[in-house]
Structures are given as C-alpha cells and as structure tokens.
Amino acid sequence: MKFCENCRDSVDFLIREEVITKVIKGKEISYKAKVAFCKECGQEIFVGEIRDQNLKMLDIAYREHEELIQVSEIESILEKYNIGKRPLSMLLNWGEGTLTRYLDGDIPTKQYSETLRLLLADYGYMFNILEKNKDKLTERAYKLCKEAIEKIETKMLSGDGKIDSVVKYFIINCVEITPLALQKLLYFAQGFYKAFNYEYLFDNDCEAWVHGPVYRNVYEKYKNRGYNPIEDNISEYDDFELAETEKEILDSIIVNFGCFSGKILEKMTHVETPWRITRKGLGNYESSDRIIEKHLISEYFSEIKSKYKMLNTSDIKDYSSDLFTKLVAVQ
C-alpha cells in the first residue's frame, strides 16, 4: 500500500504502462513507463520503486537515441573479460574511477562509448589493449583477463556454445527449416536480441556470402542437406541452455520470420544495411568471406527498433511484415 494525497490515506494501487515523452537536452525521448493509480479515487500516486524503474528506462531510451553504450553492456564487458572496473579503466588509460561513474549512471562521451562497444564486440581488440598496457595491471588481474580471452577464443574456434543451443531451438520449434532459412533466422535473432537486451546472443561472427549472412560453422554442419528441411534427431535436444529472455526473442523470430521460405529471408537480408555494406565493391555472384562486423548488426537493428517504436518482442511483426510487403511490391 502507498499513501494517496487525494484520499489522505494508505491505499492499494494499480500499475499501468504508458508511453511517455520527455525532452532531454532539446531532444524528445519516448520510453515505456509504469504509472501507479489509486484504486479508490483513480488519481496517480507516487511509488518510489516505480520512479526508480522509470528513470532507468528513460536512461536506456536516451542512450538508444544517442547510440551510446548501455550500463548493462558495460557490465557484460567486465563479466566477459573477468576484469574489475578500476583495472579496465587503467587499461584504457582513463581515470581509475571512470567505469565506476558510468556504472552509476554517468553518460559516457561518444568516443568512450565506441571504445567500450569495440571491447564488447571484439575480443581481439581487448587482447591487443591488454598486451599493450599490461604493465598497468597487477599480475593476477592480467592473468585472469588473459585466461578469459583465451576461453572465448577456444569457444569461437570450436563453434560450440550458445549458437548451438539456438540452432537446436530453431530446429525443434520450426515446422520445417532448411539450412538457408536457419542461417537467416540466426542472423535476425542476433540482431534483435542485441537491440532489446543490449548484448549479443552469441559470440560467433557471420560472413557476407552471395546468399546472405552465413555462420560458417553452422553451414559446414548442415551443408549436405542442400535445400531440404533439416531433420535432426530432436529427441536429443532436451537442454537448450537458454534463458527465458533468449527464448522470448527466438519465439518471436520463429513467429515473425520462420513463416517465410529461405529464399524470401535471403532477399530480406539483401536489402538490409549490414550485408550490403560488407559486400560493397563485390559482384552479385562473387564469393567472399568478409565478416559482417557485429557493430553494423547492432547499429542497424537498434535503428529498426527505434524506427518502428518497438516496445516488446511482438512488435517485430511490424518490421517483418513491412519488409515482406516491400519485397513483393518490387517483384
């Protein structure tokens, strides 16, 4: 119960979700907020916990608008490389309290934000900085960070890990899925998961092949199926190692993109910026192993989320439907 100024008493309350627009530094920022209302008189009442949550959502929306790194992404960097706030600040030649301030809510500059996003996306970049400035760390901090990078590299080279769980989830939950369609669903899952959760779903990079984005390890595993649906023994897939937030995105991708054929999905990826930029200068049928940089995927799908005013994963439908309509119109 909370105090209602109108009723002058402690009352039960209801919570509703509303889209609210605030002006920050001359820019209109819209975000999904929760508002509490008195059950007795219907007047809005103050709830501290809800205010704090709304401030957090406004911060997220502002960073999205300005394309700045999120607090959750900075936390992911520390976890990914098993390094503390102060050691990483020193490794980057920043003030030793810089990352602490960012985690407490201070907004980083565009330059610092881009540096942090590079660290999150590219463990090779992190390795180079670690080796260049290792004298700024204690021996233990250096060892822990290097071991974390080596584990990431081993995982990437083996092709195992999260992407395998995502592949299995798609195979068991799609009515029929060909190797071509699987590749595109992986790409869409990576992009939209990053847009909604501010971290990548899996570490693997995809390449800009003639027929769209391709995750090479997954291609090698299923290339013998050709254009036929994948018919793995789904009874083996009882442990996906996926969080509920991850399954939520995958379910939405299945509903909103899994209904299209592999060729349609291929055409969809061909009109999107990440694939087109990566293949710039190549012929239509020229083979390539160019990697579609993760930051291109991140930036594109963040823009799509903002453009279509997506508040939850079900809103992905607006984008997939619009994309399909445009493809049909040009045929």
Side-chain angles (χ1 to χ4, degrees):
M1 300 179 72
K2 294 294 179 181
F3 184 77
C4 173
E5 292 187 358
N6 186 57
C7 297
R8 307 305 297 175
D9 197 6
S10 293
V11 297
D12 290 326
F13 58 90
L14 298 172
I15 298 176
R16 301 174 192 163
E17 288 189 341
E18 297 182 0
V19 176
I20 295 177
T21 300
K22 297 280 188 181
V23 177
I24 301 178
K25 297 181 180 180
K27 299 172 183 177
E28 291 189 350
I29 308 296
S30 297
Y31 67 104
K32 194 173 184 179
K34 291 183 178 180
V35 183
F37 295 92
C38 172
K39 276 189 175 182
E40 299 298 326
C41 68
Q43 293 293 316
E44 182 178 342
I45 62 176
F46 173 80
V47 179
E49 297 88 341
I50 293 177
R51 177 205 58 187
D52 294 342
Q53 186 176 355
N54 288 341
L55 288 174
K56 182 178 180 181
M57 295 306 295
L58 176 59
D59 177 71
I60 290 173
Y62 177 75
R63 290 170 188 254
E64 280 187 352
H65 187 275
E66 296 299 296
E67 298 182 349
L68 297 172
I69 193 165
Q70 300 286 343
V71 171
S72 60
E73 290 180 295
I74 299 175
E75 291 172 342
S76 295
I77 293 171
L78 301 179
E79 180 180 357
K80 181 175 183 177
Y81 297 116
N82 196 16
I83 192 169
K85 298 171 287 187
R86 181 175 175 276
L88 183 55
S89 294
M90 296 178 66
L91 202 61
L92 293 169
N93 291 316
W94 296 349
E96 63 181 57
T98 302
L99 284 173
T100 298
R101 291 190 291 101
Y102 291 165
L103 289 169
D104 288 340
D106 279 10
I107 304 294
T109 65
K110 188 74 172 179
Q111 180 183 354
Y112 277 27
S113 176
E114 289 303 314
T115 296
L116 290 169
R117 279 191 161 155
L118 275 173
L119 290 178
L120 183 60
D122 187 354
Y123 69 88
Y125 179 68
M126 178 64 178
F127 178 77
N128 289 336
I129 290 178
L130 177 67
E131 292 302 309
K132 181 180 179 181
N133 297 322
K134 61 183 180 182
D135 60 309
K136 298 181 181 297
L137 302 182
T138 64
E139 184 177 343
R140 174 174 169 75
Y142 168 76
K143 180 181 178 181
L144 290 174
C145 184
K146 186 174 182 180
E147 287 176 348
I149 294 173
E150 289 172 347
K151 287 180 181 178
I152 294 170
E153 185 174 32
T154 299
K155 184 178 178 181
M156 290 286 288
L157 293 175
S158 68
D160 295 330
K162 184 58 65 66
I163 195 170
D164 281 353
S165 292
V166 177
V167 166
K168 292 173 182 179
Y169 194 85
F170 278 145
I171 292 174
I172 196 172
N173 288 288
C174 290
V175 176
E176 283 190 346
I177 185 168
T178 63
L180 179 62
L182 174 61
Q183 292 287 350
K184 309 316 168 230
L185 295 189
L186 288 171
Y187 165 77
F188 284 121
Q190 177 79 306
F192 279 113
Y193 187 82
K194 180 63 167 63
F196 277 96
N197 295 285
Y198 314 111
E199 60 182 354
Y200 295 104
L201 180 57
F202 41 75
D203 293 328
N204 307 64
D205 286 313
C206 61
E207 299 174 15
W209 289 17
V210 170
H211 297 293
V214 170
Y215 293 89
R216 185 178 289 272
N217 287 340
V218 178
Y219 169 80
E220 293 295 336
K221 185 172 182 178
Y222 295 107
K223 64 182 180 181
N224 292 333
R225 309 300 173 93
Y227 292 100
N228 299 312
I230 299 171
E231 296 178 350
D232 273 14
N233 183 4
I234 60 176
S235 64
E236 298 176 0
Y237 300 163
D238 56 354
D239 183 9
F240 298 112
E241 297 182 0
L242 296 171
E244 290 305 313
T245 54
E246 294 168 339
K247 291 179 182 178
E248 181 183 352
I249 285 288
L250 300 185
D251 288 339
S252 183
I253 296 300
I254 291 170
V255 169
N256 296 306
F257 288 100
C259 54
F260 300 117
S261 69
K263 292 304 293 183
I264 291 295
L265 294 172
E266 174 187 325
K267 292 178 181 179
M268 287 180 172
T269 62
H270 281 190
V271 301
E272 295 179 322
T273 304
W275 182 84
R276 295 174 63 186
I277 287 179
T278 305
R279 286 191 60 84
K280 186 176 181 179
L282 296 174
N284 290 340
Y285 300 101
E286 186 176 349
S287 62
S288 169
D289 60 358
R290 291 181 184 176
I291 289 175
I292 301 178
E293 297 295 340
K294 284 194 182 74
H295 73 87
L296 292 177
I297 297 174
S298 173
E299 291 165 6
Y300 178 77
F301 283 95
S302 292
E303 290 172 2
I304 291 299
K305 180 173 178 279
S306 176
K307 177 181 177 181
Y308 284 82
K309 295 179 170 58
M310 297 180 183
L311 299 177
N312 53 62
T313 57
S314 63
D315 295 332
I316 292 174
K317 178 181 180 181
D318 296 333
Y319 175 64
S320 63
S321 298
D322 192 27
L323 200 53
F324 179 70
T325 300
K326 291 177 179 177
L327 289 177
V328 171
V330 298
Q331 288 181 351

